[in-house]
Amino acid sequence: MKKPTKILIFVLFFILFCSMITATVYMYFLDQQTIQQQNENTKTSDNTDISNQKVVATENKQQIDWKQFSTMDFYDSAFPQIAVSAVTAPIGENILSAFSNDISSEQSLLHYGTIEENFRSLLSGECDIVFSPEPSEGLLALQEEYHTELECIPISKEAIVFLVSYENSLENLYLEDIQNIYSGKITSWENFTGEETTIVAYQKNENSLLQSMFHRYILSKEKTMQPPKNLQFDSEKNLITTLSFYDGSPYAIGYDTYYYASTILFDYRIKMLAIDGIYPTKKNIANGIYPLMTNYYAVIRKNSQMDAPQQKLIQYLTSPMGQKLISASGYIPLSEEFLQSKPLVN
């Protein structure tokens, strides 16, 4: 065989070999992309209650005809002065929307503030009712300062959920696992996913209600390890140490309430974990089978008369119609019976 012919054959075989390698690599990455997409689709299918929540909540806030949740005989007197924080504002806003025909346009009934500001306003008599997450011992201690007792009535169920990145293969943790992570006994994901990477376990500010609930239901303050910190400049350009907040990175874990995680924090990089094999869905939380449960409360002064406007509002919110308004507002009612997915829209 002539030399030019040998060279040509060699070149052809080399090109064929390279083509096969390129095709193999391409197919591998295509398969990986397909598998990843299938996994995401499966998770999205399994988590329909989570994945559509943000869009539905936004659309419903604009479209729902809230007057469908009013009652003919609810109020025959003035409305109470209502105080809300950022996390409970939709409840107060939607109540006023439902009964707007019964409210004078001159009345200013809804007051926004921090949770502590709202409790002080309630105790001082400036407002009649506060919608709040489960209050901390510090908030309840304000009763002694004002010499006034408070009463907390559950109006909605809530849960503490743990969050990891979708890039993390973890789907479930047991309560003991969480306690071991946040006490510092377990520091590597190798125990759960096989990856030899360090767990970055984020916490909330010590003065937050969520951190108070974490210590109450999950791990006491004395047993909880120091949270991740970072350095930053304050307003006067002094270098200070501050708490690091959950950033959704692949090896991080954090926690929040179901409502906040599903309507505000939710994106396609973050997923909620099952705890003790129970996934945090609205149905599981409403049924009370998810392990880490809490409530939203209507808080009033204990000495209020039974026919006072705030008492009537509590009677409404714990009634079937009021529980439907709670559900349509994006919160979880006290019973699965009142979960409402398709309220009437304008």
Side-chain angles (χ1 to χ4, degrees), residues 150-285:
L150 297 177
E151 185 178 0
C152 301
I153 301 94
I155 57 172
S156 168
K157 287 187 175 179
E158 182 55 286
I160 302 172
V161 298
F162 281 82
L163 308 167
V164 296
S165 167
Y166 268 124
E167 297 178 45
N168 191 320
S169 61
L170 187 67
E171 296 293 339
N172 176 75
L173 280 176
Y174 291 94
L175 182 57
E176 184 179 0
D177 296 330
I178 296 171
Q179 292 168 339
N180 286 334
I181 289 172
Y182 278 92
S183 65
K185 292 180 180 178
I186 293 179
T187 59
S188 174
W189 286 113
E190 184 180 10
N191 297 273
F192 308 109
T193 65
E195 294 188 64
E196 297 181 8
T197 50
T198 301
I199 298 173
V200 184
Y202 289 96
Q203 299 181 39
K204 297 292 183 179
N205 284 320
E206 273 301 328
N207 60 354
S208 71
L209 291 188
L210 188 53
Q211 189 70 3
S212 171
M213 287 186 275
F214 176 90
H215 291 318
R216 187 176 303 169
Y217 295 114
I218 299 166
L219 194 64
S220 68
K221 183 177 180 180
E222 295 72 25
K223 294 180 179 179
T224 304
M225 66 180 181
Q226 288 295 312
K229 302 285 184 66
N230 59 15
L231 295 174
Q232 67 180 43
F233 290 98
D234 63 12
S235 58
E236 298 180 356
K237 304 301 180 182
N238 297 315
L239 193 62
I240 58 173
T241 301
T242 60
L243 187 72
S244 297
F245 292 101
Y246 176 68
D247 59 2
S249 58
Y251 305 116
I253 183 170
Y255 50 89
D256 220 298
T257 60
Y258 174 88
Y259 174 80
Y260 197 82
S262 61
T263 61
I264 300 174
L265 285 185
F266 178 80
D267 62 34
Y268 287 97
R269 296 191 308 109
I270 297 174
K271 62 182 176 182
M272 302 183 202
L273 295 176
I275 304 298
D276 294 346
I278 307 296
Y279 195 79
T281 64
K282 281 190 172 183
K283 183 176 181 180
N284 288 342
I285 296 170

Side-chain angles (χ1 to χ4, degrees), residues 5 41 44-45 50 57 107 122 164 166 173 209 243 247 289 292 319 329:
T5 304
N41 289 342
T44 302
S45 177
I50 303 298
Q107 287 181 283
L122 177 63
V164 296
Y166 268 124
L173 280 176
L209 291 188
L243 187 72
D247 59 2
I289 63 173
L292 302 176
S319 72
S329 300

Side-chain angles (χ1 to χ4, degrees), residues 8-45:
L8 179 61
I9 293 174
F10 175 79
V11 171
L12 291 174
F13 270 108
F14 181 76
I15 293 174
L16 179 62
F17 177 76
C18 291
S19 299
M20 292 174 64
I21 294 295
T22 302
T24 301
V25 172
Y26 173 77
M27 291 302 295
Y28 172 79
F29 283 108
L30 183 62
D31 288 343
Q32 291 299 308
Q33 187 177 17
T34 302
I35 291 170
Q36 183 179 3
Q37 185 63 46
Q38 288 174 343
N39 288 339
E40 290 182 356
N41 289 342
T42 300
K43 290 173 184 175
T44 302
S45 177

Side-chain angles (χ1 to χ4, degrees), residues 115-116 119 132-143 150 152 206-214 216 297 299:
I115 294 174
E116 181 175 345
F119 268 72
S132 170
E134 183 173 335
S136 64
E137 292 180 3
L139 284 174
L140 294 177
L142 293 174
Q143 296 174 98
L150 297 177
C152 301
E206 273 301 328
N207 60 354
S208 71
L209 291 188
L210 188 53
Q211 189 70 3
S212 171
M213 287 186 275
F214 176 90
R216 187 176 303 169
Y297 292 89
V299 188

